[in-house]
Amino acid sequence: MNPIEQHLQAETRRYFFGRMAAGVGTAALASLTNPQLFAADTATAQASADPLATLGELKALHHPPKAKRVIWLFMADGPSQLDLWDHKPKLTEYFDKDLPESIRNGQRITTMTSGQARFPCAPTKFKFAQHGKHGAWVSELLPNLAGIVDDLAIIKTMNTEAINHDPAITYIQTGSQIPGRPSMGAWASYGIGSVNQDLPAYVVLHSRIAAGSQTQALFSRLWGAGFLPTKHAGVALRSSGDPVLYLSNPPGVSAETRRTMLDGLAELNQKKQEQVGDPEITSRIAQYEMAFRMQSSVPDLVDISKESAETLDMYGPEVKTPGTFAYNCLLARRLAERGVRFTQVFLRGWDHHGNLPGQIPNLSKAMDQPAAALVKDLKQRGMLEDTLVVWGGEFGRTVYSQGTLTKDNYGRDHHPRCFTMWMAGGGIKPGIVHGETDDFSYNVTEKPVHIHDLNATILHCMGIQHERLTYRFQGRDFRLTDVEGKLVKEILV
C-alpha cells in the first residue's frame, strides 16, 4: 500500500483520541512505579483514610454502604435444598407417589429425567430440627450452621430460568446465560476498586474435590472481566505450589533483577501505548506491577502459622491443608482483613443425580464447620458488620427421584424453580427466613427472589445502585443485572 495512503487511513478518530490519551498512560505508569508521585495533600489523605473512599470507576458511592467487602461461598453443582434447608414434613405421605401434575404444571425438566416413566416423590431421609430464636428448620447434616442461624438470613425462594449447569452458573455469576459478560467480582472491582495495592480487588479460591464426587468444570470466564478492562478479572490462587504461577523468581534471578526487567518491559509497553493508544496496554503494565508486589504480599497471606490454636480448631481438622474448603475459608477471612473487595470460594461436588444419601453427608461435613467458623470468626473480630457473606449454588434439586427410589437411596435432578441460599453480615437482617415454597419444594408460594434480585441486593449492600453501575460496550450500556433486578428490601437492615 502507498505509505501516504496508509498514514491517512491510520489517522482515524479512534487513533487521534488514543494518541491524545497517551499522556494519561504515562501518568498511570509513573503512579505505579512511584505511588507517592501524585500523593494527595494531608487533608485529602485523611479524608481518604476510610477504605470505602478508594473507588474504581465510580466518582462516589451511590449511598452509604453497609459492606466493605463480600465473601461468596459458592456451592457449585447445585446443593439439595430438600436435604439441607427446606423442611417438608408432609412429603413423607408422598413417598414413591408420583409428583402431582398440578405441581409440575408442564414445567421444563432436563433430558436426564424427561424420559422417566414416572416422577416418584423422594422425601429426605435426613432429620430436621428447629434452631435459633425464631425456630429456623435446619438439617442434621449442618449442625454447625444450625448453631449460628441467628446470624443468617435464609432465603428459601431463590429462582432462575437456567436448568443446566454451565448456563446456570454463568447466569448467576455474570447476569447472562451467554458467556462473555463480566463477573460480579469484576463489576465490584470496576465500581469500587481496591484498598490494598499489594493484592487484587477480586480473588478466587478453588477447594479440593472430594473423592467420588460428581462435578462440572469451572471455566475462568466465571471470574473473568468480560468486556471490562482485564485488570478487574479475578485472580485464582492455586492450592499447591506457588499460589500464583511464576510467583517465585527462577533460580539465579534476584528481586533486583526482576525489578530491572519489569522497568524495561514497562518502557517498551509505554512506547507501544503512545503509538496505538490501547488502554489494555496500561492494564498490562498495572498487572505486571501488581504481580511484582504480590511476590511479597501473597507469601504473607498464605502463612497461617501465626493463627491461634483456638482459631484453627474452630475451622476444623482440615484447615492446615492447603486447598481444602476449611483452609480457603480461613484464607478468605485473611483476604478480608487485607481489604480485598470480593473473594469467591468454590466448593464443587453437589451434583447428586444418584446415591445422594451416600454422598451428601461427607460433602456437608467438609463444608458445614468451616462455613460456620468463617461467620463466627468475622463476628468475634468485629468484621461481620461490614463483611457480607453469601452461601449458595446455581440452582436446587428436584423433589422427585432420578433413577431408582428406595427408602435409603435416591438421586435428584436439577431444579431452578426454587432453591435456598443464605446471607450474613454487612447490611443483612440476622435471624430471619425469607419466603416460602410449596409442600414439594417445587414452586415458590411467596416472596420470590430471582438471581438478578440477589445480585442487585449484594451491590446495594456495597453502596452501589445496580441500575447505575454500567459500562458502554458496542453501543449499549451493560450492567450486571441486565434490564431486571429489584432489591430484596425485607432482608436489609
Side-chain angles (χ1 to χ4, degrees):
M1 180 183 289
N2 185 304
I4 297 177
E5 183 179 352
Q6 185 176 11
H7 175 75
L8 291 174
Q9 289 186 5
E11 291 294 335
T12 62
R13 179 174 178 271
R14 178 177 295 177
Y15 183 68
F16 170 76
F17 282 111
R19 293 190 63 185
M20 291 290 289
V24 178
T26 304
L29 173 61
S31 66
L32 288 167
T33 55
N34 182 7
Q36 298 303 315
L37 186 61
F38 300 111
D41 58 35
T42 303
T44 304
Q46 290 175 348
S48 299
D50 180 359
L52 288 171
T54 305
L55 302 177
E57 302 298 325
L58 292 179
K59 300 300 182 183
L61 291 170
H62 300 141
H63 54 262
K66 296 290 186 179
K68 295 179 180 179
R69 60 196 79 83
V70 173
I71 299 173
W72 191 327
L73 307 178
F74 199 94
M75 305 294 108
D77 303 329
S80 170
Q81 77 283 2
L82 281 153
D83 298 277
L84 299 176
W85 299 103
D86 203 2
H87 182 43
K88 297 300 174 188
K90 292 184 179 180
L91 267 181
T92 55
E93 304 170 11
Y94 281 85
F95 174 77
D96 202 22
K97 294 181 180 179
D98 288 349
L99 177 68
E101 180 56 35
S102 60
I103 299 298
R104 183 188 161 198
N105 199 25
Q107 292 168 9
R108 182 169 61 127
I109 58 178
T110 77
T111 56
M112 289 173 284
T113 51
S114 61
Q116 290 188 178
R118 53 190 297 261
F119 301 100
C121 290
T124 181
K125 66 164 290 184
F126 302 105
K127 297 178 181 178
F128 276 68
Q130 289 181 287
H131 298 271
K133 295 178 181 178
H134 301 287
W137 289 95
V138 184
S139 168
E140 63 179 325
L141 294 173
L142 306 175
N144 291 281
L145 286 170
I148 63 163
V149 289
D150 286 338
D151 292 315
L152 310 181
I154 300 171
I155 307 171
K156 296 170 64 176
T157 54
M158 291 300 307
N159 61 92
T160 178
E161 292 83 56
I163 201 169
N164 288 311
H165 290 289
D166 190 61
I169 198 169
T170 303
Y171 198 13
I172 197 170
Q173 291 284 321
T174 71
S176 172
Q177 297 185 51
I178 301 172
R181 302 280 185 89
S183 56
M184 184 175 196
W187 278 111
S189 172
Y190 165 71
I192 306 178
S194 176
V195 298
N196 187 332
Q197 297 303 308
D198 297 329
L199 287 169
Y202 179 19
V203 174
V204 177
L205 304 171
H206 293 282
S207 305
R208 290 184 179 178
I209 304 169
S213 295
Q214 299 295 317
T215 188
Q216 303 294 317
L218 295 178
F219 300 99
S220 59
R221 55 178 166 76
L222 296 175
W223 51 93
F227 44 69
L228 294 176
T230 52
K231 65 181 180 180
H232 299 300
V235 174
L237 300 188
R238 302 165 71 234
S239 58
S240 61
D242 280 346
V244 180
L245 284 173
Y246 313 117
L247 187 68
S248 301
N249 288 325
V253 177
S254 65
E256 292 75 15
T257 301
R258 174 73 75 183
R259 179 68 267 172
T260 301
M261 183 201 75
L262 288 175
D263 289 343
L265 184 60
E267 288 182 17
L268 291 173
N269 278 325
Q270 185 56 36
K271 288 181 178 179
K272 190 65 175 178
Q273 161 71 7
E274 291 172 0
Q275 290 176 358
V276 300
D278 184 354
E280 276 300 301
I281 296 177
T282 304
S283 290
R284 191 179 306 133
I285 296 171
Q287 294 301 78
Y288 283 142
E289 293 299 323
M290 171 63 75
F292 181 76
R293 295 193 295 271
M294 286 172 65
Q295 288 187 303
S296 298
S297 63
V298 170
D300 175 69
L301 166 71
V302 300
D303 180 9
I304 64 172
S305 61
K306 295 181 181 178
E307 294 286 346
S308 68
E310 293 77 12
T311 297
L312 296 175
D313 289 343
M314 183 166 58
Y315 282 89
E318 294 185 328
V319 71
K320 294 183 180 180
T321 304
T324 62
F325 185 69
Y327 176 86
N328 285 341
C329 282
L330 176 57
L331 219 58
R333 191 221 78 208
R334 292 172 64 85
L335 287 163
E337 286 179 314
R338 288 158 172 77
V340 171
R341 291 290 189 193
F342 205 99
T343 300
Q344 199 148 39
V345 183
F346 283 98
L347 179 62
R348 294 188 283 168
W350 299 95
D351 199 21
H352 297 135
H353 289 275
N355 190 26
L356 183 147
Q359 294 181 345
I360 199 171
N362 291 333
L363 190 55
S364 296
K365 183 178 180 181
M367 177 278 296
D368 174 54
Q369 183 174 351
L374 174 61
V375 175
K376 290 189 287 186
D377 198 4
L378 290 168
K379 187 175 182 179
Q380 70 185 15
R381 294 170 188 270
M383 295 175 61
L384 186 60
E385 62 185 23
D386 59 11
T387 303
L388 177 60
V389 182
V390 183
W391 181 100
E394 66 266 38
F395 46 49
R397 314 303 295 195
T398 57
V399 64
Y400 57 80
S401 177
Q402 177 174 344
T404 304
L405 169 64
T406 69
K407 284 285 187 181
D408 297 316
N409 194 17
Y410 50 88
R412 300 195 190 278
D413 200 1
H414 310 161
H415 187 62
R417 298 286 299 180
C418 63
F419 58 103
T420 301
M421 298 183 70
W422 58 256
M423 304 169 74
I428 299 298
K429 284 182 182 177
I432 65 170
V433 177
H434 180 84
E436 191 53 81
T437 60
D438 62 24
D439 290 336
F440 299 86
S441 189
Y442 202 90
N443 298 294
V444 173
T445 57
E446 60 179 72
K447 300 179 181 178
V449 178
H450 190 270
I451 58 171
H452 284 315
D453 305 334
L454 173 78
N455 287 341
T457 303
I458 292 173
L459 290 178
H460 174 86
C461 291
M462 300 183 78
I464 301 172
Q465 293 181 20
H466 69 104
E467 302 98 331
R468 297 173 59 189
L469 183 62
T470 62
Y471 188 88
R472 180 162 286 268
F473 176 67
Q474 294 184 342
R476 177 191 162 187
D477 289 332
F478 284 86
R479 70 183 203 219
L480 173 64
T481 52
D482 199 38
V483 295
E484 302 178 68
K486 59 182 184 296
L487 296 183
V488 188
K489 295 181 179 179
E490 295 91 338
I491 70 171
L492 295 174
V493 174

